[in-house]
Amino acid sequence: MKSTHLSLIAGAAVLAAVTGFATVTAPGAPAESTAKSAALLPVERAGLVCPAPSNSDLAETQYTAFTPAGEGGEAKGAAELKPVLPIVDDEDETDPKKAKKAEEAAKKAKAKAEKPVLAVKEPGKPVVAEANGSTAPALVGTATGKLAPGWTAQQTTEVTAGGSRGLLGVTCTAPDTDFWFPGASTAKSRQDYIHLTNPDDTGAVADIELYGPEGALKSDVGDGITVPARSSVAVLLSTLTAEAVDQLTAHVTTRSGRIGAVVMSADDSAGSDWITASEDPSGTLVMPGIPADATSVQLVAFAPGEDDADVKVQLMGKNATFSPAGNATLHIKSSMTASADLKDLTRGEPGSLRLTPVRKDRATPIVAALRVVRGKGDKQEIAYIPATGPVGARATVPDNRAKGSTLSLTAPGATAKVKVTASAGSGGGEPAVETYTVKAGTTLAVTPKAPEGLKGSYALTVETTSGGPVHASRSLALASDGVQMFTVQTLPDDRGMVEVPSARQDLSVLDD
């Protein structure tokens, strides 16, 4: 008989440092004593996935990667993003010459995928790379050692004409198994593609479910979508169902493996941008950073459980919190998507939206996002703001330019103070630090202080120093032919530091 002795606490410490999270409590140990014995340690490994930037030949994309300065793991480390492998379907090829040609092409593609598109060499300094046209690939990568804590990447794409016109920005995401996308669409005026990217060396299988105002949409082709190893698949949502629904919620889960998932949404009349996943279902949600000049704001929400949800809708403005006229509450039926047209509710001032349960004893979990429009007529441009978690200890957004960046900070509870660090530029410049006070129930929109002598782009790192939780987003704007193109990225906690329980007790597992 074989006996294997495992220290669960020690194993959990290693897991937490590598993956970014772990919670272990010895049987019978008080939670308080466990918390006291926990230590904050930097993660030692992090993974990111970036979708293919655009299907337009006019697309101009800039990738930016960054690790904030601070406590790191090992003295050494690496942080690289590499192209995914192309999906080659040559199983039915009978012509020997064509089969050999396909094999040679696959070998060249694999060799190319081993060369990093961009690699961070040191904390505190962003690196950039450019790619033009519709052939720019999706990227996958990992960071280790001192470059892992807080490692983040951003891709920003400018398309000046065509159906994908707009400024499209997306923060590359950590791979996961469950994603919610309120605000997606299968309407004839929309072209919404959900990008599924697999960073691992084994295949993944994903399911896509769609929910409209009347419940689940009929679909026979959204189940069992195969995403090959280190590859990316784009699925047009309107091909999954015969129903054309303007506002719906897409739910992506995996049966096996992990993926990154994000939706590219293109509107015939209002441009295009990415829809990133909402925060996990919760009774209270915050969507920070509605621009002061927004001409239209639409709220889309979904209750995934068995219970309906009744929520208060509140705008946290420049000086106070209030409910929009005619939209003080929203009823969300179970498994049905609800929406509310909030029009130009900010009226010239920046704001953030908060959803809270009407009854505190019935905090039904929901997901939500905002569809925001700037401009009118043929000068419209869209962006999406999903519900997001608080900044926490630290959060970062790369690719800020000398002009066009706006940082929005909102404190839904108590007044808070934050430290904002503008990193050195990708081509040079000295970091700059500013401190802001965000009053309770308000939104503070600021133009960040750019690094002295800035060359290239820079990263913004936000740290909560005191007070209540702060939610944040960054808006990047770029004018083109009279259109105020813009994109909004939220700043949730980067999870660069994790609580790891101290090894106070050795628990052995006997495998007889």
Side-chain angles (χ1 to χ4, degrees):
M1 310 296 282
K2 183 179 179 182
S3 295
T4 303
H5 298 274
L6 300 176
S7 174
L8 297 185
I9 298 293
V14 174
L15 176 65
V18 172
T19 64
F21 54 89
T23 303
V24 176
T25 304
E32 183 179 352
S33 66
T34 302
K36 288 181 178 179
S37 65
L40 276 176
L41 295 177
V43 297
E44 296 178 2
R45 186 180 181 86
L48 290 178
V49 174
C50 313
S54 177
N55 56 9
S56 171
D57 291 334
L58 302 176
E60 297 180 357
T61 298
Q62 176 171 298
Y63 301 102
T64 309
F66 176 78
T67 296
E71 294 185 22
E74 304 171 3
K76 297 181 179 180
E80 298 178 338
L81 283 166
K82 301 178 179 180
V84 298
L85 295 169
I87 298 176
V88 180
D89 185 11
D90 59 354
E91 293 182 0
D92 298 329
E93 184 57 67
T94 57
D95 188 324
K97 291 183 178 181
K98 291 183 178 180
K100 185 177 180 179
K101 188 175 181 180
E103 183 179 352
E104 291 175 351
K107 287 182 179 180
K108 289 182 180 179
K110 187 174 182 180
K112 184 178 181 180
E114 291 305 315
K115 297 179 180 179
V117 171
L118 69 172
V120 177
K121 300 297 184 182
E122 59 180 298
K125 184 177 180 179
V127 295
V128 301
E130 296 181 351
N132 297 328
S134 59
T135 59
L139 304 179
V140 298
T142 57
T144 59
K146 68 177 182 180
L147 295 175
W151 182 51
T152 183
Q154 165 90 15
Q155 66 181 40
T156 308
T157 303
E158 181 183 358
V159 182
T160 55
S164 299
R165 175 189 60 76
L167 186 65
L168 298 85
V170 62
T171 301
C172 301
T173 59
D176 207 338
T177 60
D178 197 339
F179 307 85
W180 292 97
F181 298 99
S185 176
T186 58
K188 293 181 180 180
S189 61
R190 293 269 292 270
Q191 295 285 307
D192 284 16
Y193 285 87
I194 192 157
H195 288 244
L196 310 175
T197 305
N198 179 4
D200 297 323
D201 293 329
T202 56
V205 178
D207 296 330
I208 303 175
E209 300 171 313
L210 304 177
Y211 298 90
E214 303 299 324
L217 275 63
K218 295 180 180 180
S219 175
D220 297 324
V221 292
D223 293 339
I225 299 172
T226 299
V227 188
R230 288 184 57 84
S231 296
S232 187
V233 174
V235 180
L236 181 60
L237 292 186
S238 60
T239 64
L240 300 181
T241 178
E243 300 182 55
V245 178
D246 186 32
Q247 296 292 346
L248 56 78
T249 300
H251 185 207
V252 179
T253 55
T254 62
R255 301 184 187 184
S256 62
R258 309 176 305 159
I259 58 172
V262 64
V263 176
M264 179 188 284
S265 177
D267 188 298
D268 288 347
S269 61
S272 61
D273 208 345
W274 293 98
I275 306 175
T276 52
S278 168
E279 182 186 13
D280 290 341
S282 176
T284 297
L285 297 176
V286 176
M287 287 149 277
I290 305 171
D293 61 351
T295 53
S296 173
V297 178
Q298 188 165 43
L299 167 65
V300 183
F302 181 78
E306 297 181 355
D307 298 326
D308 293 356
D310 288 288
V311 297
K312 296 179 183 178
V313 180
Q314 295 176 305
L315 180 74
M316 293 177 286
K318 183 178 180 180
N319 299 306
T321 297
F322 60 92
S323 294
N327 288 290
T329 63
L330 179 67
H331 179 69
I332 310 166
K333 294 183 179 180
S334 170
S335 299
M336 298 182 185
T337 297
S339 62
D341 185 359
L342 305 180
K343 305 185 186 303
D344 56 342
L345 82 165
T346 57
R347 297 187 181 278
E349 293 187 354
S352 302
L353 206 70
R354 178 176 62 185
L355 303 180
T356 57
V358 171
R359 289 177 49 182
K360 293 183 179 180
D361 60 337
R362 292 196 62 180
T364 304
I366 60 173
V367 293
L370 297 177
R371 180 181 185 269
V372 180
V373 178
R374 295 176 70 192
K376 296 181 179 180
D378 60 358
K379 303 297 183 181
Q380 293 183 74
E381 168 71 344
I382 58 169
Y384 293 86
I385 306 174
T388 186
V391 167
R394 182 183 64 187
T396 298
V397 59
D399 195 12
N400 296 278
R401 317 289 175 88
K403 296 181 179 180
S405 292
T406 301
L407 179 65
S408 293
L409 307 165
T410 186
T415 295
K417 288 187 177 181
V418 298
K419 182 175 77 171
V420 178
T421 303
S423 75
S426 57
E430 295 297 323
V433 178
E434 290 186 300
T435 301
Y436 299 99
T437 297
V438 188
K439 295 181 180 180
T442 69
T443 296
L444 176 66
V446 297
T447 299
K449 182 180 180 180
E452 188 72 27
L454 172 65
K455 293 182 180 179
S457 64
Y458 66 96
L460 281 172
T461 298
V462 181
E463 299 171 84
T464 307
T465 58
S466 66
V470 173
H471 297 250
S473 70
R474 185 284 313 267
S475 174
L476 181 63
L478 179 64
S480 176
D481 294 331
V483 179
Q484 292 295 320
M485 300 194 300
F486 76 116
T487 182
V488 180
Q489 281 70 56
T490 57
L491 281 78
D493 190 300
D494 66 18
R495 299 183 180 180
M497 303 290 289
V498 291
E499 284 192 358
V500 180
S502 299
R504 297 183 61 186
Q505 184 175 352
D506 186 68
L507 306 179
S508 296
V509 176
L510 300 179
D511 184 13
D512 296 324

